[in-house]
């Protein structure tokens, strides 16, 4: 399996604080011989009767000299994931999860438009406080 980003434990804690249960790490999807692993699969109950689900790819942007490269990689990765999910008729929302400081300094309107155009949401986490800051469907 692929390596886990180093901020993933803080992301999981933030989601748990927000009422989500992470029930799978690195969900495996296959289409036409291509195998991908999406970092998180989470759910929560709404009003005790309805269940919400989402998939998330976590990107920490750990190397501050590689932000542009990491941005291109993250966007390409989640676009491919969305394509595979669509091809398999899996209609679960997909989110790219990033740290709050990356959202403020790296994710400009162009990057956000790319995600929106490709039906990938953005989830912003304050890693220090382990808190969900922003959900952008």
């Amino acid at each position: 399996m692929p390596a886990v980003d180093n901020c993933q434990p803080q992301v999981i804690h933030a989601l748990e604080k927000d009422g989500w249960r992470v029930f799978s790490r690195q969900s495996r999807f296959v289409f036409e011989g291509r195998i991908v692993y999406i970092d998180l699969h989470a759910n929560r109950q709404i009003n005790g009767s309805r269940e919400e689900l989402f998939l998330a790819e976590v990107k920490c942007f750990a190397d501050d000299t590689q932000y542009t490269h990491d941005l291109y990689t993250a966007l390409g990765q989640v676009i491919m994931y969305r394509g595979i999910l669509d091809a398999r008729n899996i209609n679960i929302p997909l989110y790219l999860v990033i740290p709050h400081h990356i959202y403020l300094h790296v994710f400009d309107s162009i990057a956000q438009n790319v995600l929106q155009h490709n039906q990938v949401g953005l989830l912003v986490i304050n890693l220090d406080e382990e808190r969900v800051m922003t959900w952008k469907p």
Side-chain angles (χ1 to χ4, degrees):
M1 280 204 228
V4 172
D5 277 56
N6 62 355
C7 67
Q8 190 164 310
Q10 292 102 312
V11 169
I12 291 170
H13 290 143
L15 290 170
E16 290 172 345
K17 285 180 175 179
D18 205 42
W20 292 92
R21 182 176 71 94
V22 176
F23 64 89
S24 177
R25 295 181 183 142
Q26 297 201 334
S27 296
R28 182 177 186 253
F29 296 90
V30 179
F31 186 75
E32 294 183 353
R34 186 178 305 274
I35 301 171
V36 298
Y37 293 89
I38 300 176
D39 288 333
L40 302 175
H41 195 171
N43 73 341
R44 73 176 172 183
Q45 294 295 114
I46 300 174
N47 298 330
S49 61
R50 204 175 106 222
E51 182 181 53
E52 275 187 310
L53 295 168
F54 76 92
L55 295 164
E57 182 62 24
V58 177
K59 292 296 175 203
C60 300
F61 291 77
D63 184 349
D64 61 358
T65 66
Q66 296 287 325
Y67 284 165
T68 300
H69 178 267
D70 290 348
L71 174 64
Y72 295 164
T73 300
L75 292 175
Q77 194 170 358
V78 295
I79 290 168
M80 287 297 296
Y81 291 175
R82 181 77 266 157
I84 288 171
L85 294 171
D86 290 347
R88 297 220 22 233
N89 293 314
I90 297 172
N91 193 25
I92 299 175
L94 175 63
Y95 284 85
L96 176 61
V97 182
I98 61 170
H100 186 247
H101 72 279
I102 295 299
Y103 175 70
L104 295 175
H105 300 291
V106 178
F107 266 74
D108 56 18
S109 61
I110 294 170
Q112 292 183 52
N113 279 340
V114 167
L115 292 174
Q116 184 178 18
H117 178 74
N118 289 282
Q119 301 174 333
V120 176
L122 186 63
L123 175 54
V124 181
I125 304 289
N126 180 313
L127 297 178
D128 294 329
E129 298 175 11
E130 296 182 345
R131 184 168 59 98
V132 174
M133 301 292 292
T134 305
W135 287 91
K136 290 190 172 211

